[in-house]
Amino acid sequence: MHLVQVSTRPDVNDAHADGVLTDLREAGLSGVTRVEFVKCYLFSDDVDPDQVDRIARRLLVDGVAENYTIDGDAPVESGAGKPVLVLRKPGVMDPVALSLSEGISHMGITPPRIRIGRLYLVEGDVDADALSESCRRVVANETIEEISFEGEFPRSFPEPAPYVFSRVEVPLENLTDDELLVLSKKNVLSLNLVEMKTVQGFYRDLGRSPTDVELETIAQTWSEHCKHKTLAGIVNFRGERIVNLLKETIFKVTQEIDRPDCLSVFVDNAGVIRFDDERAICMKVETHNHPSAIEP
């Protein structure tokens, strides 16, 4: 593997590191005096060192404000801080890695496997257990990330275990209301009692139990993330029945106002607004993507 480490030059302020320093102090680590932040890029050896250097200079490093090393053991401009390494877990989407892979392709280089991490070097009088507890709250999201305090980078890419098919059925037919709620919570389905009873009735009519995959598919499709149950839900407000909260409020008012500078609204998850006679601004906001970045 090849390792590229990128850090801010000593004479340039690192706002991200300063923010983490503040967050760690607020989390109880009053002894922290400084945090150094290092961006880490792991590449498989499908690319040679010269190609890695080209990729680093073209795509990874701000030549004015940052330094970098390739395949070095120590991070750039490293102090004596305690290392905290954060990496995406295997099987989790990494949009930065996907964009980087695309950029490498445009350079005429066959993209290698890529894994991206964040290294924090925490300086000061800090207890190891307190550092671990605070960092798990401040710098990592353990739903989608793994965190290490050993100071060593992985030497290989994680490989999934061989897949062996096993059909697993989840018996629902005779479960009580309380048992349905326990099942929803245990399997992190996030379905309420009405929804669980609907699923139970559906499979009771089919005369069989759902498989674990079917049940998870229903839970994902019926989730707030996919269905927008609140935003597009039925609401009774002051005696008025609103069938779709979004469409009958923000959406409806925007259409009624019909401003000429709003060129495109509520189409394809983005809005296009006129800037002048020749240019427009396109803005996109994802309503809730964190931490649900786990691939199916």
Side-chain angles (χ1 to χ4, degrees):
M1 295 177 69
H2 299 288
L3 169 63
V4 178
Q5 298 178 80
V6 181
S7 70
T8 304
R9 291 182 176 179
D11 57 338
V12 178
N13 181 60
D14 188 337
H16 179 68
D18 290 344
V20 172
L21 173 62
T22 300
D23 290 342
L24 288 175
R25 285 175 174 170
E26 291 179 350
L29 292 182
S30 57
V32 177
T33 57
R34 180 175 178 267
V35 173
E36 183 180 354
F37 171 53
V38 183
K39 292 175 284 188
C40 307
Y41 303 87
L42 294 162
F43 298 104
S44 62
D45 57 9
D46 301 309
V47 287
D48 60 44
D50 289 339
Q51 290 175 319
V52 174
D53 187 66
R54 284 179 56 205
I55 293 168
R57 286 186 285 106
R58 286 279 301 275
L59 301 176
L60 306 180
V61 180
D62 177 347
V64 175
E66 294 176 326
N67 292 323
Y68 73 102
T69 62
I70 297 177
D71 296 335
D73 293 329
V76 186
E77 304 295 346
S78 173
K82 296 178 175 64
V84 181
L85 178 62
V86 181
L87 293 163
R88 290 275 176 137
K89 289 182 176 179
V92 174
M93 291 178 65
D94 189 338
V96 177
L98 293 173
S99 297
L100 178 55
S101 180
E102 184 177 357
I104 293 171
S105 294
H106 290 318
M107 293 176 61
I109 300 173
T110 301
R113 297 178 66 181
I114 302 171
R115 200 173 183 198
I116 297 176
R118 306 187 305 276
L119 175 65
Y120 300 93
L121 298 161
V122 182
E123 300 179 16
D125 184 14
V126 179
D127 175 75
D129 291 337
L131 176 66
S132 173
E133 180 181 353
S134 297
C135 285
R136 292 179 191 280
R137 292 163 51 193
V138 170
V139 303
N141 171 10
E142 291 191 277
T143 302
I144 59 172
E145 294 175 323
E146 58 189 40
I147 185 169
S148 168
F149 302 90
E150 304 301 321
E152 294 185 1
F153 290 95
R155 299 300 179 186
S156 61
F157 283 86
E159 298 291 347
Y163 175 70
V164 178
F165 175 75
S166 175
R167 180 183 175 90
V168 178
E169 294 189 350
V170 183
L172 296 180
E173 182 177 1
N174 298 317
L175 295 186
T176 66
D177 290 358
D178 289 341
E179 290 171 334
L180 286 172
L181 289 175
V182 168
L183 176 65
S184 177
K185 184 175 182 179
K186 178 182 177 182
N187 289 23
V188 200
L189 302 176
S190 298
L191 296 176
N192 62 32
L193 181 58
V194 173
E195 293 161 344
M196 288 296 293
K197 288 176 71 70
T198 301
V199 176
Q200 183 186 52
F202 177 80
Y203 280 96
R204 184 179 286 151
D205 291 343
L206 288 181
R208 67 174 180 86
S209 297
T211 67
D212 56 345
V213 175
E214 290 175 318
L215 192 57
E216 181 64 28
T217 301
I218 292 171
Q220 290 293 325
T221 308
W222 213 350
S223 69
E224 185 67 44
H225 181 93
C226 293
K227 186 66 178 67
H228 291 284
K229 289 188 286 189
T230 301
L231 202 59
I234 299 173
V235 176
N236 293 313
F237 180 69
R238 295 179 179 175
E240 180 185 0
R241 182 178 176 83
I242 302 173
V243 176
N244 185 306
L245 183 62
L246 175 65
K247 288 188 176 181
E248 295 191 28
T249 55
I250 300 172
F251 192 103
K252 181 179 178 181
V253 171
T254 304
Q255 287 187 318
E256 289 176 349
I257 295 174
D258 194 22
R259 288 176 59 109
D261 52 338
C262 293
L263 304 181
S264 176
V265 293
F266 296 105
V267 176
D268 202 23
N269 230 15
V272 183
I273 300 172
R274 188 191 310 279
F275 182 74
D276 58 26
D277 291 339
E278 296 182 352
R279 287 173 286 266
I281 298 173
C282 180
M283 293 180 287
K284 178 188 182 303
V285 176
E286 175 56 51
T287 51
H288 45 229
N289 194 49
H290 179 77
S292 52
I294 300 174
E295 289 189 301

